[in-house]
Amino acid sequence: MTSYIVEADGGSRGNPGPAGYGAVVLDAADGQVLAEAAEAIGTATNNVAEYRGLIAGLRAALDVGGEGARVAVRMDSKLVIEQMAGRWKIKHEGLRPLALEAGKLARRLRVTEWTWIPRARNAHADRLANEAMDAAAQGLPWKAGGSVTDSRPAGTHGTEADTRGPGTPAASGSPAGGARLAEQTDLLDRGDITELSAPAASVATAQTRTAKGTGWAPPTRVATSLVLLRHGETPLSAERRFSGLGDPELTPNGLAQAAAAAIRLSHDPYQLDAVVTSPLTRARQTAEAVAQRAGLPVETDEDLRETDFGAWEGHTFTEIQRRWPTELAAWLADPDVAPPGGESFTAVAERVTRARSRLLDRYEGRTVLLVSHVTPIKTLLRLALDAPPTALYRMHLDLACLSLIEHYADGNTVVKSFNDTAHLR
């Protein structure tokens, strides 16, 4: 269920000319205004001002709702909405950095919709943008509450008022602002989608050229692909013992599993751009096998380590059930509960979420191999599926298995494969 609504707008009196933006965050349940933002940005185009408004609105939503808040985004700029939804190309180079910035903010939220609305329904954000531009014209900063009155009707800050000419109506059947969009068509291409940046060839780009699409989303969007590889066999995993921060090495069979994964990942459609691993030895050995074959360095991320199982480290499930029956029952029932002296799944999810955000920012539009463990990989899959924490107990991951998650600029995610062990057969 959507919790917040972001409405944003921007305009330029001249295109380019004196420009400003406005954004408002509303409670989705009752429409209450929770935050407002507006600013004059000097000389800029309508498109730049609109993207700046979107960025300000997403930041305000993060301030109000925090990471992962469910947000619906609504604007009267069809250009921005269609580009952020991944349906239109970005042809104007000056807009790419703004779209990337907006995409990074969107990934920190859960954007439930990108919706174009007529300008009459975007009056609040439109008013804020005009207030900011009017205040700047008088040498004043914008203040919440409308410190400067705009005497012009809402919706006249952009090129619709500047370019249509007196008495020239909007085209029949087009929404308010249609003239403004019409003159921006040199920035648009409604054919296949191109990347917001220019990523290296990857599983994402290979799949978007050939796939028929997943679900209802367009098949031509370029994603940031996270390829998830569980480490190979260790002495503890062979005996089905809890293996957290203990640091066993791979068995000979585990090394063979890592080598098989490396061969698999060296062929299409996998064209890796980076290899990132947990710091634990079993993951590093697996990552090094892949990286050596791919000719890539190995990076380490502490937040990809396995759960700290505390007193249960090295024990089997049966042993734990006999020695700690009450604690085990509580742990299985509640992800907030930690093993004695260990770490809860909730705490693991917090650090894995941090790692995901860092990696998506750093490797926008590329393919990254993450070599990790059962809990972090299950957590990444659970987050991608927007599943509850209890979903961790309903997934099984084999040793050296592969899974694939694609993350899009609009905040959406798609799990493309899960627990794939074809390379081990």
Side-chain angles (χ1 to χ4, degrees), residues 40-55:
I41 58 174
T43 300
T45 65
N46 281 314
N47 299 154
V48 168
E50 289 161 347
Y51 263 111
R52 290 285 300 275
L54 171 61
I55 290 165

Side-chain angles (χ1 to χ4, degrees), residues 27-28 55 65 92 104 109 217 244 252 289 297 314 317 320 331 365 367 369 373 380 383 407:
D27 188 314
I55 290 165
H92 195 287
K104 289 176 182 178
L109 299 160
F317 187 87
I320 294 168
W331 179 70
T367 296
L369 176 70
H373 312 265
L380 288 166
L383 294 172
H407 292 262

Side-chain angles (χ1 to χ4, degrees), residues 346-367:
T346 299
V348 174
E350 290 174 357
R351 60 176 166 84
V352 169
T353 299
R354 290 197 303 267
R356 181 182 68 167
S357 295
R358 286 194 302 270
L359 293 165
L360 291 175
D361 284 346
R362 188 182 310 160
Y363 296 108
E364 179 87 31
R366 288 181 278 176
T367 296

Side-chain angles (χ1 to χ4, degrees), residues 331-417:
W331 179 70
L332 291 172
D334 187 350
D336 289 334
V337 174
E343 181 183 26
S344 71
F345 286 153
T346 299
V348 174
E350 290 174 357
R351 60 176 166 84
V352 169
T353 299
R354 290 197 303 267
R356 181 182 68 167
S357 295
R358 286 194 302 270
L359 293 165
L360 291 175
D361 284 346
R362 188 182 310 160
Y363 296 108
E364 179 87 31
R366 288 181 278 176
T367 296
V368 186
L369 176 70
L370 305 186
V371 185
S372 189
H373 312 265
V374 168
T375 313
I377 292 174
K378 283 186 177 182
T379 299
L380 288 166
L381 290 162
R382 176 183 75 76
L383 294 172
L385 292 168
D386 197 16
T390 53
L392 290 177
Y393 307 117
R394 293 170 171 81
M395 285 186 264
H396 172 79
L397 294 174
D398 288 302
L399 291 161
C401 70
L402 287 167
S403 302
L404 172 63
I405 304 172
E406 292 189 345
H407 292 262
Y408 296 94
D410 60 5
N412 288 325
T413 58
V414 175
V415 175
K416 297 294 287 287
S417 65

